[in-house]
Amino acid sequence: MAFILWILAVALVIFGIVQLFQEQLLLGIVCIVVGLLIGPGGYSIFNRSKA
C-alpha cells in the first residue's frame, strides 16, 4: 500500500509541475500539495495516529 501511495504522490507532483509550466497555477499548486500530503516523506493523511 505504501508503494502505491508513493507512486501516486510522485505522479501528482510531476503533474503539478507540468501544470505550472502550462500556466495553470492553481491546479499545479493543488496537485503538488496533495502529492506532498499523501507521500511517505511528508505529513501523510493516511497514517494519522489516534493519540
Side-chain angles (χ1 to χ4, degrees):
M1 180 71 174
F3 183 71
I4 294 172
L5 288 176
W6 186 83
I7 295 294
L8 183 62
V10 169
L12 279 171
V13 170
I14 291 172
F15 181 73
I17 292 170
V18 169
Q19 292 304 308
L20 287 177
F21 282 118
Q22 293 179 355
E23 298 182 3
Q24 297 288 329
L25 296 177
L26 184 60
L27 180 61
I29 292 171
V30 168
C31 287
I32 290 171
V33 168
V34 170
L36 293 175
L37 285 176
I38 66 171
Y43 176 79
S44 181
I45 59 175
F46 296 107
N47 293 330
R48 297 181 71 177
S49 65
K50 304 215 182 226

